[in-house]
Amino acid sequence: MVSDTHSGSVALEHPTTAHTDDHNLSDHDHGPPHLHHHFDDMEQQRESTSLGMWSFLVTEVMMFGGLFFAYSLYRWNFHEAYMYGSSRLNIVLGTGNTFVLLFSSLTMAMAVHSAQLRHRKALVGWLIATLILGGAFIGIKAKEWTDDYHEGLIPAVSWDPALWAHHGAPAGGAAHGDASHAATAQNGAAHVGEGVGENRPQASPSSQSGHPAGVDSSDARNSKFPIADSTFQRQVMMYFVLYFCMTGLHAIHMVIGLGIVGWFTYMGHRGAFTSGNDQPVEIVGLYWHFVDIVWVFLFPLLYLIHGFHPFGGGH
Amino acid sequence: MAEHTAQHSHAAIDHHDTHHDTHDDTHIIPVSLYLKIFAWLMFLLILTLGVAMFDLPGPLNIIVAMTVAIVKAVLIILYFMHVRFSSRLTWLFAGAGFAWLLIMFSLTFSDYMSRGWLPNPGNIVR
Amino acid sequence: MFFVGGIAAALVRFNLLTPNSTLLRPQTYNKMMSMHGIVMVFFFLVPVIPAVLGNFLVPLMVGAKDLAFPKINLLSWYLYMLGAAIGTLAMIFGGVDTGWTFYTPLSTQYAYGNVSLTLMGAFIAGFSSILTALNFIVTVHKMRAPGLTWFRLPLFIWSMYATSLIIMLATPVLAITLMLLLIERIFGVGIFNPKMGGDPVLMQHLFWFYSHPAVYIMVLPGMAVISEIITCFSRKPIFGYKFVAFSSIAIAVISFLVWGHHLFIAGQSPYAAIVFSVLSFIVAIPSAIKVFNWTATLYKGSIRLDTPMLYAMGFLGLFTIGGLTGLYLASLSTDVHLSDTYFVIAHFHYIMVGGTVSAYLGGIHYWWPKITGRMYPEGWGRTAAITLFMGFNLTFFPQFILGINGMPRRYAMYVPEYQVLNVLSTAGATILAVGYLLPFFYLFWSLKYGAIAGPNPWKATGLEWQTQSPPTTFNFDKTPVVTIGPYAYSPEGDELEYEEHRGDQFRNTQGTRVVTADAVVEKGD
């Protein structure tokens, strides 16, 4: 065969004759039933699918990363507005969500563990636990967003700054490094005008005025922020746009994850993953943990900007 | 003839599979380790809240918060996602995503933060 | 999609025959130039070589039965169809006039037309791209035949691998940018709108973070093809294999560090601009290394100027010109003058059309016998290649001059002084169109009437040539075992054999002669 003399790179015999080997076509009697035809062995299949999921997660990192960047840029410029926006979020619910998701990562890891050990009932149990916790996350999110809707905080949907003044904020809290943040906000506001040449927020000096130290009346938080100022309102809207984009994208990923976990619960119940084919559970586990990690970053960045003051009183 | 054996040895691997099936990179993480990591994650969550109660000077608040978040993420990646016991290729891919994010952040912020440093004409602000 | 984009280009060029936009209304012109860009970038250049050649060749070249995830491959195809269908729908409903770059606030606040639909089409096509890249990466890592180490891989694989790396890391950022644009347009919030506190330069940063690596997504596969063609048609191993392989990876990495050169006049800080300028000069180096190595491969080779080689030679010259003119644009002071002029247009067309499209056509011709089992008519092939080369240069070289003289891009009208060069350019475009149409016809013709090709009509090395044309379902009858590196050509030895059989292969095109390399085998295995 000419290939021998010219390329020498392949040791094949008679490639042009139909010399089928047992290796290739439709016979099933080598390898386990979940070995796909184009793979040579389970090891290759396992490594390939794992690498495939990791590659996908890398793309997800970059996708969320774009949003995180936009968030960072505007936080740097509109720090005051971000503080206010953050103060309007419910930290209790946010913490609850974080706890729920971290717990669900544990249950997911346990599910993978069960699949590896071929414990069918345990696998199903842990997957159901993950479903419940994930569902709880979505439920809590729904509650949060409903509250936001009623408080006029959803841009373009129910945006109503007039409602903000009525918000009975819990006592204390806004004296969180005000002086330094005030200075940054002023510079930050100037940054936005730069490069664009317009819309220099005129109100920035006034937003720094009148910061009584250590005030803790129940409307303290609101009174420290110039919520009536339209520029400030626009900046708060930027915060909420990014808040809803980021938590929205995250929620979409959660829902997709829940769908897959639900499907896997059914398949797992039928024994699909406990007879040697635990790899899919591992893969879904990777995805689930990733979604959890995104939330681990979202929580402090979105909820804790203005600080956490459960006991009231300024510093 | 040598090639034939090369090819057939590839086919004759069935007996391997049953061994590999029950292992992930030949390593099953014990439940106790999962629970330990979870305990740490809970502690770090409380720490996140705790740190937020204080008012640290300058940008320290966000630095500390992000550090805690990174530690949580690293724990999840290493143990729940099994990277600790995975091949170097997996480490490379896991790291690459964050490295690239770093590129995006650092170069873009280098633009925004250096605006106004040079007094060139037409420079709009400052 | 290529022909849709081509028609848009034809309308653009014909409108530019006269200074006053007599053929089209300016807004229609804007829509045509936008459509040309959108279709060509998102629906042609990014997917074409990976989808058409890569999907077919990657498993063959690594000796695998199929890609790692065949079903994901199929999903990638369906997503592309969906994205292209939505994009086409947007065009039918009236198109967009924002330019393919969708700069804000024009695209989000003021543009008429179907920006949202177009954004969705591009968004979906982006996911198609990501899935293909994912498949390639896993296949190259995990499914190589026994004995096929990384440094025995054909350079086609190295370049496709590098392309896939870029796709995985860059396209998601495009996805999020398009999503934010959609949200801004649909909900009227001001993420990038200065009147609402937003920053339009942010959009440019995020957009170009993808779009600059995207141009390397478009050109690296072209380079992949060239490495294969030049070695085969000069009957020589590649000069500096490792340098070419590593420079593909270097291009992939460094391409992510230069996007700011699209923002030099957008209000970016001069310090950042200096950094990006230096990095842009650096990114030219790996590309230059490749050009040097390809050229050195030709030296003392036994050159055959068959159709694929003609395209490859065209690539070498045109890509070099395109690359060198990029340096003028990377240089801050000259960029201030040249930015947004026809100089930029000529620069990237030299690379994308003179480079990628030439390479694509060369690759199509080179692997046509492998894919279809038929040979194309060589005479027509060469005619088309030369027509393309002439037409291309006549179209785009005047545009460099126009650009230096200050003619702005994306304008339907221009001052009369520019007319002569514009007319030349349009004349060239007509010739170029002929160069594109010819292959379309004779390639289809060859499906029925072309000479039947055997497994290796080019006497090339590489695993894909060691199996049937077209390959069987699982590519190889037996898993290949690889013992030596690629490109084991030798000018002297093959010279004789090639001459002996060249006449046989190309003389008779009635489809009755079976030409296989077995004819050579008769001398003894």
Side-chain angles (χ1 to χ4, degrees):
Chain A
M1 187 58 233
V2 67
S3 57
D4 299 330
T5 53
H6 286 277
S7 68
S9 67
V10 175
L12 269 190
E13 292 183 336
H14 310 295
T16 52
T17 59
H19 181 68
T20 52
D21 203 41
D22 53 55
H23 206 39
N24 290 297
L25 301 177
S26 50
D27 72 39
H28 288 266
D29 51 49
H30 85 292
H34 9 268
L35 177 66
H36 294 239
H37 285 134
H38 52 286
F39 288 116
D40 291 329
D41 55 43
M42 282 304 283
E43 174 110 17
Q44 190 187 47
Q45 179 171 306
R46 181 183 297 275
E47 288 177 13
S48 299
T49 46
S50 177
L51 190 63
M53 177 50 83
W54 273 107
S55 305
F56 176 68
L57 293 181
V58 168
T59 66
E60 294 278 18
V61 168
M62 294 308 289
M63 184 151 92
F64 276 98
L67 276 181
F68 275 93
F69 180 77
Y71 162 94
S72 308
L73 182 70
Y74 287 126
R75 173 167 172 165
W76 182 53
N77 282 330
F78 301 151
H79 197 103
E80 187 93 4
Y82 266 51
M83 278 214 299
Y84 177 69
S86 172
S87 74
R88 297 304 308 271
L89 297 181
N90 188 327
I91 291 192
V92 171
L93 292 182
T95 310
N97 263 344
T98 312
F99 169 74
V100 161
L101 261 192
L102 287 173
F103 196 3
S104 77
S105 262
L106 176 67
T107 58
M108 192 69 215
M110 291 305 299
V112 173
H113 184 84
S114 307
Q116 286 172 338
L117 294 179
R118 306 200 185 191
H119 294 154
R120 188 177 62 91
K121 293 218 178 99
L123 166 67
V124 174
W126 287 117
L127 284 178
I128 291 180
T130 310
L131 271 178
I132 293 175
L133 290 167
F137 179 91
I138 298 291
I140 297 176
K141 260 267 144 282
K143 161 92 172 81
E144 280 186 271
W145 286 355
T146 314
D147 288 345
D148 290 334
Y149 180 84
H150 291 302
E151 290 170 17
L153 291 171
I154 306 188
V157 171
S158 81
W159 187 252
D160 190 359
L163 288 176
W164 302 356
H166 301 301
H167 173 61
H176 182 70
D178 282 339
S180 60
H181 290 311
T184 330
Q186 180 164 34
N187 287 339
H191 272 295
V192 173
E194 196 179 299
V196 176
E198 52 178 292
N199 191 39
R200 208 103 57 84
Q202 304 305 322
S204 43
S206 65
S207 68
Q208 317 319 319
S209 63
H211 271 302
V215 171
D216 49 57
S217 66
S218 63
D219 279 309
R221 189 171 307 151
N222 273 352
S223 72
K224 289 188 180 303
F225 295 97
I227 58 176
D229 174 56
S230 64
T231 305
F232 185 76
Q233 287 171 3
R234 278 199 291 275
Q235 296 175 352
V236 174
M237 184 195 271
M238 196 67 75
Y239 169 84
F240 276 103
V241 168
L242 283 163
Y243 167 79
F244 282 106
C245 280
M246 293 166 91
T247 54
L249 190 63
H250 180 262
I252 290 175
H253 281 80
M254 277 294 296
V255 169
I256 293 174
L258 282 174
I260 299 177
V261 172
W263 176 42
F264 272 33
T265 309
Y266 169 67
M267 299 279 284
H269 176 68
R270 298 187 45 190
F273 305 122
T274 39
S275 44
N277 190 28
D278 57 297
Q279 186 69 350
V281 186
E282 160 98 19
I283 303 276
V284 171
L286 288 178
Y287 174 81
W288 190 266
H289 295 307
F290 169 76
V291 177
D292 184 20
I293 290 176
V294 172
W295 181 261
V296 160
F297 282 98
L298 283 182
F299 175 59
L301 286 176
L302 290 172
Y303 286 78
L304 299 178
I305 305 177
H306 74 288
F308 175 55
H309 305 279
F311 308 116
H315 289 285
Chain B
M1 273 299 119
E3 330 149 10
H4 266 291
T5 48
Q7 262 104 56
H8 282 295
S9 72
H10 233 3
I13 41 142
D14 315 53
H15 65 278
H16 280 192
D17 298 355
T18 47
H19 286 300
H20 283 239
D21 289 342
T22 55
H23 295 293
D24 177 55
D25 299 302
T26 69
H27 198 291
I28 295 199
I29 299 180
V31 177
S32 58
L33 184 55
Y34 283 142
L35 291 174
K36 243 199 292 197
I37 299 295
F38 181 68
W40 271 103
L41 288 171
M42 288 297 106
F43 167 69
L44 287 166
L45 174 58
I46 296 172
L47 187 65
T48 309
L49 289 169
V51 167
M53 285 168 72
F54 297 101
D55 179 19
L56 304 173
L60 262 189
N61 265 302
I62 184 156
I63 292 177
V64 173
M66 282 298 101
T67 310
V68 174
I70 289 173
V71 173
K72 279 191 222 159
V74 166
L75 281 176
I76 295 177
I77 292 175
L78 285 180
Y79 292 100
F80 284 173
M81 296 171 90
H82 304 163
V83 169
R84 174 91 163 72
F85 309 103
S86 292
S87 63
R88 233 172 298 177
L89 190 63
T90 311
W91 283 75
L92 185 64
F93 273 66
F98 294 104
W100 249 252
L101 216 51
L102 207 64
I103 293 178
M104 185 205 296
F105 271 69
S106 55
L107 275 175
T108 319
F109 264 114
S110 80
D111 168 26
Y112 282 100
M113 293 180 81
S114 63
R115 300 232 180 129
W117 284 7
L118 275 181
N120 48 320
N123 197 13
I124 296 166
V125 163
R126 305 220 226 210
Chain C
M1 289 311 282
F2 178 71
F3 287 107
V4 172
I7 292 171
L11 285 168
V12 165
R13 281 292 355 138
F14 279 105
N15 191 56
L16 290 174
L17 274 173
T18 61
N20 294 315
S21 194
T22 39
L23 181 67
L24 303 169
R25 284 176 304 140
Q27 206 202 358
T28 313
Y29 176 85
N30 289 344
K31 290 184 180 182
M32 287 299 128
M33 67 89 179
S34 303
M35 268 166 47
H36 172 70
I38 292 166
V39 168
M40 289 307 198
V41 170
F42 292 120
F43 299 120
F44 177 66
L45 283 168
V46 166
V48 74
I49 297 181
V52 176
L53 294 174
N55 276 328
F56 178 76
L57 288 168
V58 168
L60 279 173
M61 285 186 175
V62 301
K65 299 187 197 110
D66 202 338
L67 286 171
F69 306 117
K71 292 201 192 117
I72 290 188
N73 207 26
L74 191 62
L75 178 63
S76 167
W77 169 245
Y78 287 148
L79 285 176
Y80 171 79
M81 293 295 281
L82 184 62
I86 292 179
T88 311
L89 211 62
M91 287 188 268
I92 294 174
F93 284 150
V96 297
D97 60 354
T98 58
W100 78 278
T101 49
F102 297 113
Y103 283 165
T104 54
L106 171 64
S107 62
T108 49
Q109 308 293 327
Y110 304 106
Y112 306 106
N114 307 285
V115 175
S116 299
L117 258 184
T118 313
L119 289 172
M120 278 191 266
F123 182 83
I124 295 174
F127 279 104
S128 160
S129 198
I130 289 177
L131 291 178
T132 297
L134 195 152
N135 234 330
F136 284 179
I137 289 181
V138 178
T139 306
V140 173
H141 271 286
K142 295 290 174 191
M143 297 185 63
R144 283 169 281 132
L148 190 53
T149 58
W150 279 91
F151 290 123
R152 288 181 180 171
L153 284 168
L155 290 167
F156 182 91
I157 298 290
W158 276 98
S159 288
M160 294 306 282
Y161 179 76
T163 309
S164 303
L165 288 178
I166 304 180
I167 293 178
M168 299 290 285
L169 291 163
T171 317
V173 180
L174 176 76
I176 205 72
T177 311
L178 296 179
M179 208 188 77
L180 286 173
L181 283 172
L182 258 174
I183 288 177
E184 180 161 334
R185 184 149 170 104
I186 295 177
F187 292 107
V189 294
I191 311 172
F192 305 121
N193 182 4
K195 279 201 195 145
M196 299 176 77
D199 186 9
V201 177
L202 172 64
M203 183 272 173
Q204 293 192 28
H205 271 295
L206 288 174
F207 179 83
W208 286 108
F209 184 86
Y210 163 75
S211 299
H212 188 82
V215 312
Y216 293 96
I217 295 174
M218 297 186 261
V219 88
L220 270 173
M223 295 176 164
V225 172
I226 296 303
S227 292
E228 298 302 307
I229 294 180
I230 287 196
T231 46
C232 177
F233 289 91
S234 42
R235 312 309 295 176
K236 264 190 77 189
I238 190 86
F239 181 89
Y241 173 92
K242 280 195 182 170
F243 270 89
V244 180
F246 284 130
S247 64
S248 296
I249 305 295
I251 290 176
V253 173
I254 306 177
S255 70
F256 278 93
L257 306 176
V258 301
W259 80 86
H261 65 230
H262 298 273
L263 282 81
F264 282 160
I265 60 168
Q268 189 175 247
S269 101
Y271 271 106
I274 294 173
V275 170
F276 280 118
S277 176
V278 171
L279 288 165
S280 302
F281 274 89
I282 292 176
V283 81
I285 296 176
S287 298
I289 290 177
K290 288 187 158 206
V291 171
F292 294 147
N293 284 10
W294 289 322
T295 311
T297 305
L298 296 173
Y299 178 65
K300 286 198 177 166
S302 170
I303 312 250
R304 297 290 153 203
L305 289 175
D306 295 312
T307 307
M309 190 57 157
L310 287 178
Y311 281 114
M313 296 286 94
F315 178 99
L316 273 189
L318 299 175
F319 174 77
T320 304
I321 295 176
L324 288 174
T325 52
L327 293 174
Y328 290 94
L329 295 169
S331 169
L332 288 168
S333 42
T334 50
D335 186 71
V336 172
H337 175 61
L338 295 172
S339 213
D340 284 337
T341 65
Y342 263 80
F343 191 90
V344 180
I345 294 193
H347 156 73
F348 65 71
H349 279 92
Y350 260 80
I351 301 189
M352 290 302 132
V353 181
T356 302
V357 178
S358 292
Y360 172 61
L361 287 171
I364 286 281
H365 285 79
Y366 182 55
W367 281 294
W368 189 255
K370 177 56 59 181
I371 298 173
T372 62
R374 300 275 183 162
M375 271 309 272
Y376 60 87
E378 181 66 28
W380 281 107
R382 289 188 183 164
T383 310
I386 295 177
T387 312
L388 185 142
F389 184 82
M390 311 279 240
F392 174 83
N393 279 305
L394 185 58
T395 311
F396 290 105
F397 198 83
Q399 294 187 5
F400 278 127
I401 306 175
L402 280 171
I404 294 178
N405 287 333
M407 177 172 172
R409 65 185 286 199
R410 295 181 168 169
Y411 276 37
M413 307 181 188
Y414 52 84
V415 295
E417 282 83 352
Y418 295 135
Q419 184 166 21
V420 173
L421 288 169
N422 269 301
V423 171
L424 278 177
S425 181
T426 304
T430 324
I431 301 173
L432 186 60
V434 172
Y436 287 138
L437 284 171
L438 279 176
F440 184 71
F441 287 119
Y442 67 69
L443 287 176
F444 271 110
W445 175 91
S446 78
L447 284 177
K448 194 142 185 252
Y449 301 107
I452 297 182
N456 196 355
W458 305 116
K459 308 282 216 54
T461 66
L463 288 177
E464 76 269 27
W465 300 107
Q466 313 307 329
T467 185
Q468 300 166 27
S469 301
T472 53
T473 312
F474 286 104
N475 284 343
F476 298 95
D477 294 327
K478 275 191 194 179
T479 308
V481 174
V482 178
T483 50
I484 72 166
Y487 313 126
Y489 295 107
S490 91
E492 299 77 21
D494 285 347
E495 175 88 29
L496 298 164
E497 301 225 45
Y498 197 94
E499 266 310 323
E500 221 174 285
H501 295 278
R502 204 168 159 282
D504 283 347
Q505 289 173 349
F506 304 123
R507 197 182 303 133
N508 187 330
T509 56
Q510 289 314 302
T512 54
R513 290 187 53 172
V514 177
V515 180
T516 68
D518 283 346
V520 179
V521 172
E522 283 155 22
K523 292 205 214 105
D525 285 39

